[in-house]
Amino acid sequence: MRKKGLWLGVLLLLLLLPASAAFADGPRLTIDDGGIFVDEDVMLEPGEVYNGDLGIFNGDLSMPQGSVVKGDVFVTNGDVDVAGRIDGSLAVISGDLVLEQGSVVEGDLFVMSGDHEIAGRVSGDLSVMFGDAELRDSAVVEGDLMVLSGSLERAAGPSLPFSMDQRRSIRSVF
């Protein structure tokens, strides 16, 4: 058992060694066509297009109207304000999300632990865990909706692909 733990420790050290060298130059790491930002806020400019996946650890993301991310977005321990477009999925863990009216997430939206205000369009599924979500009257969710140990407040007009009375379409687990 002890030998197995030693080998796992050596493997972990070998995996983290290249990452520590990359972070020595700063908190930004570029992988393929995307990037990872650590302890840094990311603010796109109006009209700016970010090509690739975007990961943010311990930082906020601000996407004004007209900005686009062509890839998936992952934010942990930071707040997200989207007025632009994400051509991929969005995951926000331990942070608040504001998806403004006119904004678009072309994939799935997963949020966990925070307050989330949805006024834009989500083309995929919306999953909420351990947090509170509010669907504004301009919100459009084209996929399934799941709430796990959280709350969902819905304004009178959000467009969902089903009625709120269809229990099989909305899964809420407490």
Side-chain angles (χ1 to χ4, degrees):
M1 182 69 173
R2 188 174 193 145
K3 191 174 186 179
K4 185 177 180 181
L6 177 65
W7 280 112
L8 286 175
V10 169
L11 180 63
L12 183 63
L13 180 64
L14 289 174
L15 290 174
L16 291 178
L17 197 61
S20 65
F23 287 129
D25 293 334
R28 185 177 306 169
L29 175 66
T30 303
I31 300 174
D32 294 328
D33 290 333
I36 297 174
F37 298 84
V38 179
D39 296 325
E40 185 176 348
D41 294 337
V42 176
M43 296 187 308
L44 300 180
E45 299 292 326
E48 182 178 353
V49 177
Y50 184 92
N51 289 305
D53 296 335
L54 177 61
I56 302 171
F57 296 86
N58 300 321
D60 298 335
L61 172 64
S62 178
M63 291 182 59
Q65 189 173 13
S67 62
V68 178
V69 173
K70 292 184 180 260
D72 295 328
V73 177
F74 175 81
V75 179
T76 183
N77 294 325
D79 296 333
V80 178
D81 186 4
V82 178
R85 176 185 185 94
I86 297 175
D87 289 339
S89 295
L90 171 63
V92 181
I93 298 175
S94 295
D96 296 336
L97 167 69
V98 175
L99 194 62
E100 297 183 19
Q101 185 173 352
S103 63
V104 176
V105 175
E106 283 295 338
D108 296 329
L109 175 58
F110 174 80
V111 291
M112 181 172 151
S113 298
D115 295 324
H116 315 291
E117 181 182 322
I118 314 295
R121 181 170 66 89
V122 178
S123 295
D125 298 336
L126 171 59
S127 301
V128 179
M129 287 181 73
F130 311 116
D132 299 323
E134 179 181 355
L135 293 178
R136 297 287 183 161
D137 57 354
S138 60
V140 176
V141 178
E142 296 176 359
D144 290 335
L145 175 62
M146 180 189 75
V147 178
L148 174 69
S149 291
S151 68
L152 177 70
E153 186 178 318
R154 178 180 169 234
S159 175
L160 300 173
F162 47 81
S163 75
M164 292 295 279
D165 294 331
Q166 292 175 315
R167 293 186 188 266
R168 65 182 170 82
S169 297
I170 298 179
R171 296 171 293 226
S172 183
V173 182
F174 295 100

